[in-house]
């Protein structure tokens, strides 16, 4: 505590900061370093991909690459964004994979029963919101550790999904199918790429999250919760940490609901075993995106970069034609790499 | 340790004991099962072997118990080990692949080597986790998540992507045999529990682990070798997870690396928490983990007894966890020292009845 | 215009009673705050000062009594409500979010908006204005945690100004500040007072209370003792009212820890450091400590006192110089090896680096002996009981219950338990870093007496304290530190006074420039 006092007791005469060096100072600011690392890795992966997989008439880095990446991973992005809120607040939400399965099944079952599409979509998202609220209540009002509360949420969601059905239910609703396959085409052959509905939804969620987390008092309270004193300081500052803590889980649950919907768009079915381990993918992406699991540090855009890195790794695995289990091992190794990288960065800035 | 201290205020002492609600839940479950299925509580001796539903439950709970014992110590240091399920898969894959390749599976020596090899690999994985956590100072959640993500891939690499099935009577017996009429897994569980409890409570390990979990910096300043102890605890956890994998997989003799131990880390953590140990670290209860493991196994069985679809067991787990957590939540739990600690004046505990559905 | 003390009170608290399970923390306490006045709330640890503050700021619900703000009855349910009524608090341990920026900490809740968005540039500008009023020129976008405690404290005050506080509560604001910083803080406090803010000041430093306060309310054991004008209450009377003891008894305590002034250097030193230093932490230092000697580290906060102590104990690794402990050259010091060798270090930060909150007194005392024995050789219960009983009695630990959780003891008693932990390892040399900070006067005198006693039994003692008077009273020899450098060494004697020490510090200042 006393380790830093002398050099800047009361800095009454500090030279005014030169404007030009501002961005560089920002870049090396300890708060931004993990995210800078993520972006650097992203660039590295792109360069490696570009050098290895580009052919004379086709570049690896292309609109097509990113289009495919987000067609495959938009649901993960939404899950990870919700997770970002929870992790910054110093919590964890293990329920999201279960919620994805439950949402998918609820949607499939309701559509099978002939319920109107708009209602089904809203209900699907509300499934997530409900589970999230339940976790939030347990965490906030019963002071149950987030890990356990969301674990209960996971089992609850999986249990309910199992009750609904243990076989995959295909979604044949025409309206749903047309939403799922709706896309705008860009570019000319051979560089055709698409923007589909899932990508647009994910983008909207992303923008909403940036607004909420970075431009509102609520967002600042989320960071305050992660300061390591369980929101005490935030409370003493007159913010409302209690309600915020609860809302964080509601947001994550809702994102999981939306993610479940996007996953249903992607697979055009509902299945009680889908989304197993998806919470880990989401957490991994958030961590790769520069958030600290201890809370208080992280960015929505960092998470965006994290999901992109995650998707790129899978793409590269695929291109290398590796056996399927190498996927898991490689993601583990990359995760290890990231954790070590962050560790080094943290050590350096001390 | 079950805290039935006969003092004038024994009723309040008992109800405030950290194991009170878990034990109530377990007994309630058993009674409920006994009512629905009258033979449930019977224990018979057939051919000198113990048989019965309760015996089955105890046998099946050993996997949870082994995992939860290691997990309990890890949690006490303020950590968590998410890799135990994957370690189960790795250890079983190693053992069965070795037996399969040796071609002499029916010899006890081969089985022993397979077991030793599997446990060594499990301990190695534990050491890797411990190194990340205590050597490099990485958050336990994320450090052990690496094996959780990669572990099944490693297990698949051992089995070459197949479900390895093989034969070895001696190996199989650790999962389905009997010792003096008692199922072997139960004996293994009892011996391991005794060994862990002894080495934790009769040496200073327990206290030092708790002090690390409560305040690592202060412990370090008091000369506690917090790094080594943390490391040791992860190795123990890995080792026990490896053993759990063998006990779990031995009856079927099939190493299905994709599915063995799936969600086990969460079950183990649940058993620990149901047993009254806080996830924040510090005080821990080994006896509680037995109760926790038994509750989880009973739930699995209760679903069958109540003629419910077997898919619903996750739902019941969720309900029980929620019920126990809420019943034991802060008002009741906060001021109550978690283990063998004399108490201070405390706020009037609000009593909530647990509704154990099932 | 100066507001007289008869102006209408802004806060009136009457008959405040708060009960915790089994304890009546406050019992019918009154407190009146008037605008334009600095009011000191005095009392020993556990007298109920913090509880009183928390009652006023809505952290605790009051069980009986009445709070009137500007003659309106109020019952606050949260700090937010108290803040809306104009009551702001700067807490003992800075209670801001260290992971947020300075601007955020100062402005949150009152940030400049642009529609539904927070306008960050404007918010930062505004924060800078408020900080400038406190003569603080720091980058508002920098992270709060990277600044010193003093700066963080001022940020906290800036925050109070943003919310336009009519009442500002300063809870032990100076406990981590050096002299210049205190002066700076007091200037700000006076400025606020003159602008009509009512200030409630809580501090253990009597000099500061006399320097800044106009009036004081004294509490003892959760009860109201009285309200007095500071100028009319002699110091000795204040102390006796706080302690509830007669004045001559206090004189005896003072006498018990009388200044010792002789050179104790004999034989080989217990510890000798030659050019021991660590980059960015402390410049190379030469130091020797002999048997039976009390060496005081004098210097302001941040002068490197704790940093040096940590190097000696091996809590941090030295990157230059040599350290000899008990005649043996230490290659790589570490807490455990130091402890085994016979060197103990009682840390400065009791909460973070001292106590194991959820363990019992007994286990807390046992920790260091157990650690030096290793995991597998448990200290036999009987042997431990003897040790624990001995120290509970010898150090007068209250309540004398070894099975109580240490977190439930008062600060002074926690400190005594920690001392017991270190003394139980039978050290030949003990480093005491701020052993008397934040504890009540009675316990303080007991600890001072103990230090003298230990030295007279032949133990070497390194004594570190922010209170120069205390260091002067106890030490045989003083090592003077400034800006992470040893700048002098004084052998204590009648001619050494606090001004001599301050001169030593100041003299070196001119060289450095």
């Amino acid at each position: 505590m006393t380790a830093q006092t002398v050099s800047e007791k009361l800095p009454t005469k500090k030279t005014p900061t030169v404007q030009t060096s501002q961005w560089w100072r920002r870049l090396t600011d300890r708060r931004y370093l993990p995210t800078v690392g993520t972006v650097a890795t992203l660039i590295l992966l792109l360069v490696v991909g570009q050098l290895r997989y580009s052919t004379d008439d086709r570049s690896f880095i292309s609109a097509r690459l990113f289009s495919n990446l987000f067609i495959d991973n938009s649901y993960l992005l939404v899950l990870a964004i919700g997770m970002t809120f929870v992790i910054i607040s110093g919590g964890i939400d293990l329920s999201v994979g279960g919620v994805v399965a439950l949402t998918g099944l609820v949607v499939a079952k309701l559509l099978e029963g002939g319920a109107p599409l708009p209602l089904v979509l809203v209900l699907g998202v509300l499934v997530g919101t409900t589970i999230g609220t339940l976790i939030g209540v347990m965490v906030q009002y019963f002071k149950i550790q987030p890990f356990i509360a969301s674990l209960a949420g996971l089992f609850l969601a999986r249990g309910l999904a199992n009750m609904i059905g243990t076989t995959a239910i295909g979604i044949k609703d025409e309206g749903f199918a047309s939403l799922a396959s709706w896309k705008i085409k860009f570019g000319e052959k051979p560089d055709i790429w698409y923007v589909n509905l899932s990508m647009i939804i994910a983008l909207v969620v992303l923008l909403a999250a940036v607004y909420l987390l970075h431009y509102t008092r609520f967002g600042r309270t989320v960071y305050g919760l992660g300061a390591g004193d369980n929101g005490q300081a935030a409370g003493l500052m007159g913010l409302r940490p209690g309600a915020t803590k609860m809302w964080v889980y509601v947001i994550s649950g809702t994102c999981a609901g939306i993610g479940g919907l996007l996953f249903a768009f992607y697979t055009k079915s509902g299945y009680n075993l889908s989304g197993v381990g998806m919470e880990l993918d989401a957490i991994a992406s958030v961590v790769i995106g520069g958030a600290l699991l201890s809370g208080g540090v992280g960015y929505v855009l960092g998470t965006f970069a994290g999901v992109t890195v995650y998707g790129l790794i899978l793409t590269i695995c695929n291109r290398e034609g590796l056996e399927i289990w190498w996927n898991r091992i490689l993601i583990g190794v990359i995760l290890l790499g990231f954790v070590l990288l962050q560790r080094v960065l943290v050590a350096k800035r001390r | 340790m079950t805290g039935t201290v006969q003092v004038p205020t024994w009723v309040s002492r008992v109800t405030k004991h950290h194991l009170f609600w878990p034990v109530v839940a377990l007994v309630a479950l058993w009674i409920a099962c006994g009512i629905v299925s009258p033979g449930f509580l019977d224990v018979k001796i057939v051919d000198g072997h113990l048989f019965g539903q309760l015996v089955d439950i105890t046998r099946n709970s050993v996997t949870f118990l082994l995992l939860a014992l290691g997990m309990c110590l890890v949690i006490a240091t303020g950590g968590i080990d998410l890799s135990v399920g994957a370690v189960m898969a790795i250890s079983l894959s190693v053992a069965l692949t070795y037996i399969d390749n040796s071609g002499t599976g029916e010899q006890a020596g081969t089985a022993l080597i397979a077991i030793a090899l599997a446990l060594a690999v499990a301990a190695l994985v534990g050491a890797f986790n411990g190194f990340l956590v205590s050597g490099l100072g990485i958050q336990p959640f994320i450090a052990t998540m690496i094996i959780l993500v990669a572990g099944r891939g490693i297990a698949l690499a051992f089995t070459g992507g197949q479900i390895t099935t093989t034969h070895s009577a001696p190996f199989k017996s650790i999962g389905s045999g009997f010792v003096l009429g008692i199922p072997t897994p139960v004996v293994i569980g009892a011996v391991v529990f005794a060994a862990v409890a002894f080495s934790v409570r009769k040496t200073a390990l327990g206290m030092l682990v708790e002090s690390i979990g409560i305040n690592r910096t202060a412990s370090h300043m008091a000369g506690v070798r917090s790094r080594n102890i943390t490391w040791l605890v992860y190795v123990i956890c890995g080792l026990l997870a490896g053993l759990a994998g063998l006990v779990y997989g031995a009856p079927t003799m099939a190493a299905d690396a994709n599915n063995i131990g799936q969600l086990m880390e969460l079950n183990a953590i649940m058993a620990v928490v149901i047993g009254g140990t806080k996830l924040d670290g510090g005080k821990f209860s080994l006896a509680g983990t037995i109760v926790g493991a038994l509750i989880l196994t009973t739930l699995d069985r209760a679903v069958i007894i109540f003629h419910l679809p077997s898919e619903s067991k996750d739902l019941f787990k969720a309900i029980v966890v929620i019920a126990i957590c809420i019943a034991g939540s802060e008002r009741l739990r906060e001021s109550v020292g978690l283990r063998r600690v004399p108490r201070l004046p405390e706020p009037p505990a609000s009593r909530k009845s647990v509704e154990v559905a099932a | 215009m100066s507001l007289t003390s008869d102006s209408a009170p802004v806060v009136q608290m009457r008959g405040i009673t708060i009960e915790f399970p089994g304890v009546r923390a406050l019992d019918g306490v009154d407190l009146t705050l008037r605008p334009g006045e600095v009011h000191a709330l005095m009392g020993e640890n556990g007298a109920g000062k913090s509880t009183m503050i928390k009652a006023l700021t809505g952290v605790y619900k009051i069980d009986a009594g009445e709070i009137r703000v500007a003659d309106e009855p109020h019952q606050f349910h949260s700090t937010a409500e108290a803040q809306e009524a104009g009551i702001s608090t700067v807490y003992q341990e800075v209670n801001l979010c260290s992971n947020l920026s300075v601007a955020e900490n100062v402005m949150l809740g009152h940030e400049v908006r642009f529609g539904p968005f927070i306008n960050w540039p404007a918010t930062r500008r505004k924060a800078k204005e408020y900080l400038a009023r406190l003569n603080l020129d720091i980058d508002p976008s920098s992270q709060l945690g990277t600044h010193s405690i003093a700066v963080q404290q001022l940020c906290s005050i800036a925050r109070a100004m943003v919310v336009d506080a009519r009442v500002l509560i300063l809870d032990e604001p100076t406990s981590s500040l050096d002299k210049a910083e205190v002066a700076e803080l007091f200037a700000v406090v006076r400025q606020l007072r003159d602008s009509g803010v009512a200030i409630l000041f809580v501090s253990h430093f009597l000099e500061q209370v006399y320097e800044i306060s106009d009036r004081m309310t004294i509490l003892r054991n959760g009860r109201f003792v009285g309200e007095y004008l500071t100028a009319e209450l002699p110091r000795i009377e204040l102390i006796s009212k706080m302690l509830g003891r007669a004045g001559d008894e206090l004189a005896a305590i003072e006498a018990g820890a009388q200044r010792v002034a002789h050179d104790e250097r004999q034989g080989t030193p217990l510890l000798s450091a030659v050019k021991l230093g660590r980059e960015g932490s402390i410049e190379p230092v030469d130091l020797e400590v002999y048997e039976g000697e009390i060496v005081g580290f004098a210097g302001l906060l941040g002068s490197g006192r704790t940093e040096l102590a940590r190097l000696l104990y091996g809590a941090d690794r030295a990157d230059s110089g040599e350290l000899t402990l008990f005649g043996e050259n230490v290659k790589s010091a570490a807490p455990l090896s130091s402890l085994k060798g016979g060197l103990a270090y009682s840390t400065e930060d009791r909460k973070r680096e001292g106590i194991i909150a959820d363990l019992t007194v007994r286990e807390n005392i046992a920790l260091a002996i157990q650690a030096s024995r290793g995991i597998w050789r448990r200290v036999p219960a009987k042997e431990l009981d003897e040790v624990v009983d001995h120290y509970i009695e010898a150090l007068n630990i209250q309540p004398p219950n070894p099975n109580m959780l240490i977190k439930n003891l008062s600060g002074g008693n926690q400190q005594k338990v920690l001392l017991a932990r270190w003394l139980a390892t039978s050290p030949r040399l003990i480093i005491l870093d701020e052993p008397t900070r934040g504890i009540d006067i009675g316990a303080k005198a007991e600890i001072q007496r103990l230090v003298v006693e230990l030295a007279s039994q032949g133990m070497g003692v390194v004594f570190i304290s922010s209170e120069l008077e205390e260091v002067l009273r106890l030490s045989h020899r003083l090592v003077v530190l400034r800006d992470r450098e040893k700048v002098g060494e004084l052998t204590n004697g009648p001619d050494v006074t606090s001004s001599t020490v301050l001169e030593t510090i100041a003299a070196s200042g001119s060289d450095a420039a």
Side-chain angles (χ1 to χ4, degrees), chain B residues 200-237:
Chain B
V200 160
R201 294 300 178 206
K202 289 297 160 196
T203 70
L205 184 63
M207 185 185 95
L208 296 183
V209 159
E210 285 176 352
S211 85
I212 292 170
I214 298 165
N215 190 337
R216 185 173 290 266
T217 323
S219 305
H220 176 68
M221 293 304 273
V224 178
R225 294 172 182 270
S226 50
R227 281 190 178 189
N228 295 8
I229 293 176
T230 309
W231 200 330
L232 174 68
V233 159
Y234 279 91
V235 173
I236 294 175
C237 187

Side-chain angles (χ1 to χ4, degrees), chain A residues 227 229 233-234 237, chain C residues 93-98 105 144 152 155-156 159:
Chain A
D229 57 355
M237 284 167 74
Chain C
E93 281 142 34
V94 182
N95 265 298
L96 295 176
C97 300
S98 56
N105 275 295
L144 185 79
Q152 296 189 27
C155 289
S156 210
R159 180 175 173 77

Side-chain angles (χ1 to χ4, degrees), chain C residues 388-411:
Chain C
V388 170
D389 290 344
H390 168 74
Y391 282 107
I392 285 182
E393 202 194 315
L395 301 182
N396 185 24
I397 293 171
Q398 291 297 334
N401 174 3
N403 292 323
M404 185 126 156
L405 295 187
I406 194 172
K407 65 178 174 189
N408 296 320
L409 267 58
S410 72

Side-chain angles (χ1 to χ4, degrees), chain C residues 175-474:
Chain C
S175 56
S176 326
L177 306 193
D178 68 26
K179 263 211 161 99
E181 291 167 334
V182 171
E184 195 87 29
L185 175 75
F186 281 3
V188 169
V189 170
R190 289 196 186 97
Q191 180 190 330
L192 288 173
R193 177 195 66 192
D194 294 341
S195 69
V197 178
I199 291 157
L200 182 63
F201 183 77
V202 181
S203 173
H204 272 103
F205 299 99
L206 296 189
E207 287 100 272
Q208 294 176 1
V209 171
Y210 274 94
E211 187 185 337
I212 192 84
S213 75
D214 302 306
R215 205 185 281 264
M216 54 177 77
T217 291
I218 301 173
L219 305 182
R220 188 173 67 237
N221 293 332
R223 294 215 172 77
F224 179 75
V225 176
E227 193 197 75
Y228 307 90
L229 284 172
T230 308
E232 293 169 6
L233 187 71
R235 205 181 276 227
I236 193 78
E237 241 176 85
L238 165 65
I239 296 175
S240 69
K241 282 184 198 305
M242 280 164 62
L243 289 176
R245 295 186 206 172
D248 41 344
E249 203 181 327
L250 284 168
I253 292 178
E254 287 277 303
Q258 244 177 18
R259 177 187 287 207
V260 248
H262 48 272
D263 203 336
E264 291 278 353
R265 275 182 265 186
Q266 299 160 346
T268 50
L270 295 173
L271 174 150
S272 89
V274 181
K275 299 241 168 298
L276 191 72
R278 179 179 156 92
E279 190 88 28
S281 169
I282 182 129
E283 297 293 312
V285 168
D286 291 342
L287 178 74
E288 284 180 341
V289 183
Y290 291 83
E291 236 171 66
E293 192 186 31
I294 305 177
V295 176
F297 284 4
L300 305 177
L301 190 98
S303 58
R305 301 174 314 209
T306 299
E307 286 78 357
L308 178 54
R310 290 176 65 92
L311 281 196
L312 298 178
Y313 185 57
D316 290 332
R317 187 151 295 186
D319 52 19
S320 66
E322 281 195 27
L323 178 65
T324 313
L325 262 183
F326 314 116
E328 275 178 46
N329 196 357
V330 180
K331 283 279 168 342
S332 60
L336 183 58
S337 58
S338 302
L339 210 57
K340 280 184 174 168
L343 168 63
Y345 172 44
S346 170
T347 48
E348 175 192 24
D349 192 332
R350 191 166 58 227
K351 229 190 226 159
R352 239 167 43 85
E353 299 188 328
I355 63 167
I356 313 287
D358 281 317
L359 290 188
T360 61
V361 168
R362 186 174 190 269
E363 287 168 315
N364 266 285
I365 294 177
L367 192 62
I369 356 175
Q370 184 61 64
S372 54
R373 286 200 186 202
I375 308 172
W376 309 115
R377 287 173 51 227
R378 195 185 176 95
V379 183
K382 214 177 136 206
E383 194 183 319
L384 183 58
D385 281 335
E386 277 167 24
V387 171
V388 170
D389 290 344
H390 168 74
Y391 282 107
I392 285 182
E393 202 194 315
L395 301 182
N396 185 24
I397 293 171
Q398 291 297 334
N401 174 3
N403 292 323
M404 185 126 156
L405 295 187
I406 194 172
K407 65 178 174 189
N408 296 320
L409 267 58
S410 72
N413 282 303
Q414 288 180 357
Q415 189 66 55
K416 287 185 200 165
V417 172
L418 291 182
L419 279 176
R421 176 196 289 172
W422 304 120
L423 293 179
T425 64
S426 343
R428 295 164 69 191
L429 174 60
I430 187 165
I431 305 173
L432 300 172
D433 197 347
E434 297 277 10
T436 60
R437 176 194 280 184
I439 67 177
D440 60 62
I441 296 178
K444 199 167 177 169
E446 285 179 62
I447 287 176
Q448 290 176 359
R449 213 161 21 201
L450 179 76
V451 169
V452 174
E453 202 182 301
L454 291 174
S456 68
Q457 288 164 8
M459 197 183 289
V461 179
V462 172
F463 189 85
I464 305 176
S465 169
S466 290
E467 282 183 59
L468 201 47
E469 313 298 331
E470 191 182 34
V471 182
L472 271 171
R473 202 158 51 222
L474 293 176

Side-chain angles (χ1 to χ4, degrees), chain A residues 6 9, chain C residues 275-278 280-287 296-309 311 478-489 501 504-513:
Chain A
V6 168
K9 263 178 220 156
Chain C
K275 299 241 168 298
L276 191 72
R278 179 179 156 92
S281 169
I282 182 129
E283 297 293 312
V285 168
D286 291 342
L287 178 74
F297 284 4
L300 305 177
L301 190 98
S303 58
R305 301 174 314 209
T306 299
E307 286 78 357
L308 178 54
L311 281 196
L478 289 129
V479 170
V480 184
L481 295 144
R482 179 187 170 277
D483 286 354
R484 304 180 181 213
E485 213 176 329
K486 175 174 164 184
V487 293
E489 199 171 306
V501 177
T504 315
I505 295 175
S508 64
S510 51
D511 306 340

